[in-house]
Amino acid sequence: MPVRTALACHRKALVITQPPGSLAQDARTAGFEAALAENYPDIEYLGAQYQSNDPQRAAEIVTFTLSAHPDLAGIFSTNDQGAIGAITGLRQAGAVGQDKMVAMTPPVPRVAALKNGELQALIAQNPRQQGEAAMDIAASLFAGEEVEPVTMTEIVAITSDEPDLADRYEYIADCM
């Protein structure tokens, strides 16, 4: 994967996330930390910084971190508000494109950020498929049927050189 290769050449990485308590974001952070420790021992992990769903706080984290660690090379944001703020922080610091940014989920603003070089990768899920699976499972439960646990949705890494793939997974409200 291009982002993995680029990040491995650098020295420091940071996670921007929510304070502990969000199971999904806690798991994303733990997965990042485990993969980093196992596969990239030469990258210094600066830890998880908590933005409390506040883009302004995320921007401050990025600018402060870049000030203290000008060799910061990679940022992973586990949620929407963190990604919005981290991009703002990179802009403010004049570091867009120099520091590699990976974010979860591809709503319209992040797909645009990917296409214009502010993000290098998005981790996408298929929310429509998730909703369909939820409805099918609910219908089975309502009918008194047993439901088997299965993993049904895909997770896709979309890099900046794949704009068509980003378009395919972009979160667009189409039912309003």
Side-chain angles (χ1 to χ4, degrees):
M1 174 190 303
V3 172
R4 177 179 276 187
T5 303
L7 184 59
C9 299
H10 298 291
R11 306 276 312 141
K12 296 179 181 176
L14 168 71
V15 170
I16 297 178
T17 190
Q18 291 287 85
S22 165
L23 294 179
Q25 291 179 62
D26 291 351
R28 290 171 184 162
T29 300
F32 178 91
E33 292 169 344
L36 185 65
E38 183 176 323
N39 300 308
Y40 305 101
D42 57 326
I43 297 174
E44 181 182 344
Y45 179 46
L46 299 177
Q49 296 292 314
Y50 305 118
Q51 47 82 16
S52 300
N53 222 28
D54 179 357
Q56 177 66 34
R57 177 69 186 125
E60 291 169 357
I61 290 167
V62 170
T63 56
F64 292 153
T65 302
L66 283 168
S67 179
H69 302 277
D71 55 345
L72 177 69
I75 301 169
F76 170 53
S77 176
T78 66
N79 78 345
D80 297 347
Q81 300 305 313
I84 291 166
I87 291 168
T88 300
L90 289 170
R91 283 184 199 136
Q92 292 170 343
V96 168
Q98 297 169 17
D99 297 293
K100 305 306 178 203
M101 174 79 190
V102 178
M104 292 297 301
T105 69
V108 173
R110 269 191 298 297
V111 169
L114 182 79
K115 289 179 178 182
N116 71 25
E118 293 173 312
L119 283 176
Q120 284 63 53
L122 285 166
I123 307 302
Q125 302 164 358
N126 189 327
R128 177 177 222 92
Q129 187 181 27
Q130 291 170 338
E132 290 169 357
M135 186 58 236
D136 291 344
I137 290 168
S140 294
L141 291 172
F142 295 153
E145 299 169 4
E146 205 168 299
V147 176
E148 295 293 322
V150 295
T151 302
M152 299 180 193
T153 61
E154 56 194 324
I155 296 176
V156 179
I158 304 170
T159 58
S160 57
D161 60 343
E162 302 171 295
D164 293 339
L165 188 59
D167 290 339
R168 186 170 141 212
Y169 285 90
E170 186 172 27
Y171 293 5
I172 298 175
D174 62 358
C175 59
M176 294 184 176

